[in-house]
Amino acid sequence: MHGTLTFLGTGTSMGVPTLGCPCAVCNSADTHDRRLRPSAVLRWNDEAAGGKSGVERVVVIDTGPDFRAQALRERITHVDAVFYTHGHADHILGLDDLRPLSFIAEKRGVPIPLYADAEAKKVLERTFEYTFSPDSTYLTRARVQLTDLKEKNMVHGVEFVRIPLLHGKQPISGFRFGNAAYLTDVSAIPETSFALLEGVEVLVLPALRHTPHPSHATLEQSVQWAHRIGAKQTWFTHIAHDLGHEETNRSLPKNTQLAHDGLSVAVTL
Ligand SMILES: [Zn+2]
Ligand SMILES: [Zn+2]
């Protein structure tokens, strides 16, 4: 089955331009240097579902604070599921903007499943208490269903495999689907996770900047991982304002490039 992976945002937690920053990248005229908070959407045509033309399936990975603007830009009109990598603000704060889409999902019969590991689930329940509490009196809360993230998770015939990763000391999740994998906010990839990435042809890795950070890989580290994993294409995301798009991509080999907001790549599911 053919699918499309689209980068909703490729910026680091603060976004680029970063508020109050006078640097060249934050003031760049190149639209590739404008990066919303990190998120991606996978879409495919579910031929097995009803009718001659099938049904479009839409799975979002992380709903950051820019989710509403991203969904408008990419014309996301329904969501079948959301997978959360972890519970930090830049990955979850757009959850409430799922509300109108969740009303559409509810009309179709089911609330939107939100796949999250135990840690991320705790943060979501705390942050959006008015959504998840059984005592909530907020009638127009999002129609969403927190769902335990397992090693393998099936959404309308597509398997999403959890890839265990480390973000500083915190265990977080990456995801593999078909010939593609989306890993963000990684500072270390456990040995056993490399086995889960075997045969990946479209790889997404984070590349914050050149200078080391306690919980994020540098561009150089990610280039090494890209080389080891050996995907046909590796796209970098979660990019800080230290890396200008054109200049950085000129310095990288053709099969490893910085992604940009709105970039779509074909995947096989
Ligand atoms: Zn992040
Ligand atoms: Zn800047």
Side-chain angles (χ1 to χ4, degrees), residues 16-18 21-27 241-242:
V16 181
T18 298
C21 181
C23 85
V25 175
C26 287
N27 286 283
H241 57 163
D242 307 51

Short mmCIF file of all heavy atoms in Angstrom, two decimals, residues 16-18 21-27 241-242, ligand 2:
data_model
loop_
_atom_site.label_atom_id
_atom_site.label_comp_id
_atom_site.label_asym_id
_atom_site.label_seq_id
_atom_site.Cartn_x
_atom_site.Cartn_y
_atom_site.Cartn_z
N VAL A 16 11.16 27.97 15.07
CA VAL A 16 12.06 28.89 14.36
C VAL A 16 11.20 29.71 13.40
O VAL A 16 10.46 29.12 12.62
CB VAL A 16 13.14 28.09 13.57
CG1 VAL A 16 14.09 29.05 12.85
CG2 VAL A 16 13.92 27.15 14.50
N PRO A 17 11.26 31.05 13.43
CA PRO A 17 12.09 31.89 14.29
C PRO A 17 11.77 31.67 15.78
O PRO A 17 10.63 31.41 16.15
CB PRO A 17 11.72 33.32 13.89
CG PRO A 17 10.96 33.21 12.62
CD PRO A 17 10.40 31.84 12.56
N THR A 18 12.81 31.83 16.58
CA THR A 18 12.68 31.75 18.03
C THR A 18 12.38 33.17 18.55
O THR A 18 13.01 34.13 18.10
CB THR A 18 14.01 31.21 18.61
OG1 THR A 18 14.20 29.90 18.08
CG2 THR A 18 13.97 31.14 20.12
N CYS A 21 14.86 36.39 19.00
CA CYS A 21 16.21 36.07 18.53
C CYS A 21 16.58 36.86 17.28
O CYS A 21 15.83 36.86 16.30
CB CYS A 21 16.33 34.57 18.23
SG CYS A 21 18.00 34.18 17.68
N PRO A 22 17.74 37.55 17.31
CA PRO A 22 18.14 38.35 16.15
C PRO A 22 19.01 37.58 15.15
O PRO A 22 19.53 38.17 14.21
CB PRO A 22 18.96 39.47 16.81
CG PRO A 22 19.59 38.82 18.01
CD PRO A 22 18.66 37.70 18.45
N CYS A 23 19.18 36.26 15.30
CA CYS A 23 20.16 35.53 14.47
C CYS A 23 19.74 35.47 12.99
O CYS A 23 18.59 35.75 12.65
CB CYS A 23 20.41 34.13 15.02
SG CYS A 23 19.24 32.87 14.47
N ALA A 24 20.70 35.07 12.15
CA ALA A 24 20.48 35.07 10.69
C ALA A 24 19.38 34.09 10.30
O ALA A 24 18.56 34.39 9.43
CB ALA A 24 21.78 34.71 9.99
N VAL A 25 19.33 32.92 10.92
CA VAL A 25 18.32 31.92 10.53
C VAL A 25 16.92 32.40 10.95
O VAL A 25 15.96 32.27 10.19
CB VAL A 25 18.65 30.53 11.13
CG1 VAL A 25 17.54 29.52 10.83
CG2 VAL A 25 19.98 30.02 10.58
N CYS A 26 16.82 32.99 12.15
CA CYS A 26 15.51 33.50 12.60
C CYS A 26 15.02 34.66 11.74
O CYS A 26 13.83 34.93 11.69
CB CYS A 26 15.59 33.90 14.07
SG CYS A 26 15.67 32.47 15.18
N ASN A 27 15.96 35.33 11.06
CA ASN A 27 15.58 36.46 10.20
C ASN A 27 15.71 36.12 8.72
O ASN A 27 15.66 37.00 7.87
CB ASN A 27 16.43 37.68 10.55
CG ASN A 27 15.97 38.28 11.86
OD1 ASN A 27 14.94 38.96 11.91
ND2 ASN A 27 16.68 37.99 12.93
N HIS A 241 17.48 26.87 15.58
CA HIS A 241 17.85 27.98 14.69
C HIS A 241 19.34 28.05 14.40
O HIS A 241 19.78 28.93 13.68
CB HIS A 241 17.35 29.33 15.26
CG HIS A 241 17.85 29.63 16.63
ND1 HIS A 241 17.83 30.89 17.18
CD2 HIS A 241 18.40 28.83 17.58
CE1 HIS A 241 18.33 30.84 18.41
NE2 HIS A 241 18.66 29.61 18.66
N ASP A 242 20.11 27.11 14.95
CA ASP A 242 21.54 27.06 14.66
C ASP A 242 21.80 26.60 13.23
O ASP A 242 22.87 26.87 12.67
CB ASP A 242 22.26 26.10 15.60
CG ASP A 242 21.99 26.36 17.06
OD1 ASP A 242 20.80 26.48 17.42
OD2 ASP A 242 22.95 26.45 17.84
ZN ZN B 2 17.69 32.59 16.11
#
